[in-house]
Amino acid sequence: MFLKKTRIGRNYRNILRYRQIIAILLKHGFRDFVENSNLLKTFKLKNKFFADKYNPTPEKITYSHWHRIRLVLEELGPTFIKLGQFLSNRPDIIPNELCHELEKLLDNVPPFSGNMAVMILEKELQQPLDNVFKQFSKKSFSAASISQVHKGILKNGEKVAVKIQRPGIRNIIESDIEIMYHIAKLINKHVENADLIDPIGIVDEFKDGIYHELDFENEALNIDKFYSQFKDNPDIKVPEVYKEFSTKKVLCMEYINGIKFSEIEQSDNIDHEAVTSKLADLVLMQIFEKGYFHADPHSGNLMVFEDNKICFIDFGLMGLLPPKHKTCLCEMIFGLVNNNPERIARAIIRISFNKEIESRNILENQVFKIIEKYAYLPLEDINIGHFLRDLLNTIVTNKLKIPADIYLLLKALISLEGTVRKITPKFDMISHIEPYVKKLIYETSGPAAILAGIYKTGLDYSRLFAELPSEMREFLDQIKNKTMKLQFEHRGLEPLMDRGDRIANRLAFSIITASMLIGSALIMHAGIPPRVGGMSIIGIITFFFSVFMGCLLLVYIIKHGKM
């Protein structure tokens, strides 16, 4: 037990995990990557250890490169599965083919024992189970990589779903993240152009996300915020959280006994078109009005009641959309409907971190080609998800960097359209989006917005003119009293300064070496004792040391190719 908690214990555990990772990579045909990244050499593992046992099977060799990456992540377990799911939302980092493959990652794992679940629950709640629950099912009804969910009935008769974190999952994730950082550094060092995707930055971003997900109190806060925004909406049901029975590792919430969205086709008591229309409006309202939305509205995260009320579940991943980003999204969709590529290109550049592109005309031409694909289609045949994917590819092609929340938003819209079109194939998403877009554009560009902008600008200028005399007086006082200071900052001169330092060091080294040679010659000429064969020993030693230093300088100059 002590060994596991020490640095030595962690290193030993990590080395075992490294061996497992290398074995799985080799098993799925990634020997070139393992050898080129020096993983075997780094951990002093012999190639012969992996020689025959971990060669890929013939059927796996026929799989695509991207398919085999997905198989590796699935076999490596929870942390790497989560990493794959995270990367599937980032087409700016990885190729589209890999994005599509990673979207298939399965998060289903065998449940841990019911007795272990009871132990964790009692430890977290700091009281016996019987004090809280009238009834508790040891058998989970849902299991994922980080947690599993059990049914229960509280003492007051309320039916609840209890989400319990897997035992030891934090230690597993911490160990795997340490390994990810190490592999990211190796990729940076040994893979060409790796700096373009910033492997270490990816691990940083992933680490923040997964640690946020490990704290169930964050999910409870998400549910509270979502409830506060939709508590008066009769079309939506938000599960209640029982905070007195929830901790960082346990989340106790209302049990939702509805019909899964994926199963509503089998129910005759639900109006399919009404439910899909209501779902679209609810998600679009979250995005365009609230700016706080459920980021993964697929059929597994949705429940429907017979009165067509909809309930969202799993609030671990929520998106936040600032007003500026909402406006840009509206501009893009408005540009699609009105066949205006210039408007879309302007919105893309406005939302990007880096606004320098090689040619704005090229970007507009690429957007025009995308619009042409949808220009002559009836509105109900325009797939807004496909349009957004095409637009995303254009953004990536032009090396524009957009905020991570935008990728989450695009994923939510694409997931929403895929969900409703499974039930209603001819669903007209554009007609549902249009009112929100027009309303937001009117609010940001209409007469009221223009007047508000003029008023704000006027306030800024009046404040400037009011403060200008005192600022000018202070400036003139500094000149008069000779207290004004000018500071200069040089940029880009570091390489030149380093080169100057190297030249100065080389000259100093040469002068010292020459001086020692001359000094040794004078000592030998003077015959300063002690002497051997009439020659001064001190002079001989000094002479050979000077020659050695001169040779070192010559080797250094030849090695760097500059004589």
Side-chain angles (χ1 to χ4, degrees), residues 324 347-355 395 400-403:
K324 176 187 172 182
I348 290 172
I349 293 170
R350 188 182 167 201
I351 207 172
S352 303
F353 290 134
N354 56 328
K355 304 184 187 303
I395 290 169
L400 289 167
K401 295 180 181 178
I402 61 175

Side-chain angles (χ1 to χ4, degrees), residues 69-244:
I69 289 176
R70 174 170 66 83
L71 293 177
V72 167
L73 295 177
E74 282 182 348
E75 196 165 341
L76 285 174
T79 317
F80 287 87
I81 288 173
K82 289 290 181 187
L83 176 65
Q85 291 170 340
F86 163 77
L87 288 174
S88 70
N89 300 323
R90 297 301 303 272
D92 59 322
I93 294 173
I94 61 174
N96 275 331
E97 297 88 346
L98 182 55
C99 276
H100 297 322
E101 197 63 49
L102 295 183
E103 285 172 356
K104 303 174 189 174
L105 276 170
L106 300 174
D107 200 17
N108 295 320
V109 292
F112 56 90
S113 72
N115 290 333
M116 178 63 72
V118 170
M119 285 175 58
I120 294 170
L121 201 53
E122 289 183 335
K123 182 181 177 182
E124 287 296 311
L125 300 182
Q126 297 181 352
Q127 56 183 312
L129 204 65
D130 294 339
N131 289 0
V132 179
F133 297 96
K134 184 189 294 185
Q135 188 178 327
F136 181 82
S137 173
K138 288 187 178 181
K139 185 178 180 182
S140 67
F141 68 86
S142 174
S145 56
I146 285 180
S147 61
Q148 64 186 38
V149 189
H150 296 254
K151 290 181 184 176
I153 301 176
L154 296 175
K155 285 289 188 180
N156 61 5
E158 294 284 345
K159 291 184 179 179
V160 292
V162 186
K163 188 175 180 180
I164 304 172
Q165 195 171 111
R166 284 186 172 273
I169 189 67
R170 179 173 282 273
N171 290 335
I172 293 170
I173 288 172
E174 284 175 354
S175 176
D176 281 349
I177 285 176
E178 280 184 30
I179 291 169
M180 284 178 189
Y181 272 119
H182 198 178
I183 293 175
K185 289 174 185 175
L186 290 174
I187 291 173
N188 254 346
K189 186 176 179 181
H190 298 288
V191 177
E192 191 177 353
N193 296 326
D195 55 316
L196 296 176
I197 61 170
D198 186 17
I200 294 174
I202 292 172
V203 179
D204 284 335
E205 192 175 340
F206 169 69
K207 182 182 78 171
D208 291 342
I210 199 165
Y211 281 157
H212 188 84
E213 193 174 344
L214 277 174
D215 188 348
F216 289 171
E217 288 179 351
N218 290 321
E219 187 171 350
L221 288 173
N222 289 340
I223 297 173
D224 282 347
K225 184 174 179 180
F226 196 81
Y227 173 77
S228 68
Q229 294 189 347
F230 292 96
K231 60 185 176 184
D232 298 324
N233 191 316
D235 295 326
I236 193 167
K237 165 73 176 171
V238 183
E240 182 183 352
V241 176
Y242 297 91
K243 289 189 176 179
E244 63 271 33

Side-chain angles (χ1 to χ4, degrees), residues 42-90:
T42 303
F43 300 104
K44 299 181 175 59
L45 299 173
K46 302 296 184 185
N47 231 321
K48 63 183 181 182
F49 177 81
F50 301 98
D52 301 315
K53 188 178 178 182
Y54 296 105
N55 283 327
T57 56
E59 64 271 16
K60 281 178 182 167
I61 295 173
T62 61
Y63 293 157
S64 73
H65 182 75
W66 314 121
H67 188 152
R68 287 185 285 122
I69 289 176
R70 174 170 66 83
L71 293 177
V72 167
L73 295 177
E74 282 182 348
E75 196 165 341
L76 285 174
T79 317
F80 287 87
I81 288 173
K82 289 290 181 187
L83 176 65
Q85 291 170 340
F86 163 77
L87 288 174
S88 70
N89 300 323
R90 297 301 303 272

